[in-house]
Structures are given as structure tokens and as C-alpha cells.
Amino acid sequence: MSLLPIHLLGDPILREETIPVTEFTDELRTLVDDMFETMYAASGIGLAAPQVGRRERLAVVDVEGAKYAIINPEIVLAEGKARAEEACLSFPDVYGTVERATRVIVQAQDVNGTPFEVEATDLLARCFQHEIDHLHGKLFIDYLSYLKRRAALAEWEELRKQYTGNIRHLKPGAPELVDPEHPEAGM
Ligand code: NI
């Protein structure tokens, strides 16, 4: 397995529509394995293909051991609303409060192409919604008010200076520490 570079806000791929997966190959399974490894190395709870520079419509999540690769996912039911802080692995250390459904049912395919359905609540439901947004070029900052989005983007303009070329390279070994002031993991 290998760690994949994470593409950062500013890279156009994060705003592009993904392409449905139609072939369930060994290459696809390797991509999924690499995405899990990359997500864990970043101390994240979710990671979508565009965040590693790929156009396949797929994401991985692991919320407290609830681990899923969701391929061609769709939300078929969403209910309830709650606001909570989110962070994204594609613009680390920027936070924003986003309203999301508290319960969702997601239909997707697994790495072999087998359809499945998963019901999720709370953080897992939030993570699915955040990742499925990524698969359609949408980011959590899009939900912020004009002023809060402007502040978040200004913060990112400073933070991004530590990276070169909209790419974040993770180091193998110890996962990156989660900021104690913002224990929400990135996704
Ligand atoms: Ni994200």
C-alpha cells in the first residue's frame, strides 16, 4: 500500500464532478486500500477520491470503527438537522459549523460491485454527507455564510503557504496529531 498525496483547496479537481465507477478491478481495490491508509495517516475519518486527485466516484470512511468504502453512493433518505463543526483534509486547520441531516440512508456499491445500503446517524451520517458532497465538487465552506466563508478562505490563504503546489504529502508512521482545540477529525 502507499500513501497518496492529498490535493488541497485551490486544485480544480476538488470542484469537478466525479465519474461513476463501472469496472471493479484490482486497481480499484488498490486505490481503496491506499485511500484508507492515507486517511489514517492524516488522522481523518473520511476521504473522497478527488482529494487524492482521482475522478472515480468513491470515498472511504471510518468513524469509530464503522468502516466503509462507498462506491457510486447516493443518499436515498435524509432526515433531522443538526449543526456541528467540520474540518476537511483538503484545507487542514480551517473549521466551520455546518447544518447536516442527523440520519441518512446511503445506497452504494462495495469494492466488488455488490450493492449495499447503510443507515447512519450523527457523526457517521455527517461524514457520509461531507464525502458525497466531495464527489460532486462541493465543499463544507459552501454552506457557510458569506462572511464566514470569506474569513475561512482568508485563513486558508495564510495556511496554504506551508504547502507547495496545492499538494500535501503525508509522512508514513505516526499519524498527524489532532488539534486539541478542535478535536473534530478532518474528512
Ligand atoms: Ni473534506
Side-chain angles (χ1 to χ4, degrees), residues 51 88-89 130 134 187:
Q51 296 182 276
C88 183
L89 296 178
H130 180 119
H134 269 301
M187 50 192 162

Side-chain angles (χ1 to χ4, degrees), residues 46-48 51 86-91 130-131 134 138-140 186-187:
L47 183 67
Q51 296 182 276
E86 293 185 17
C88 183
L89 296 178
S90 288
F91 39 106
H130 180 119
E131 299 315 322
H134 269 301
K138 190 156 189 173
L139 304 172
F140 84 72
M187 50 192 162

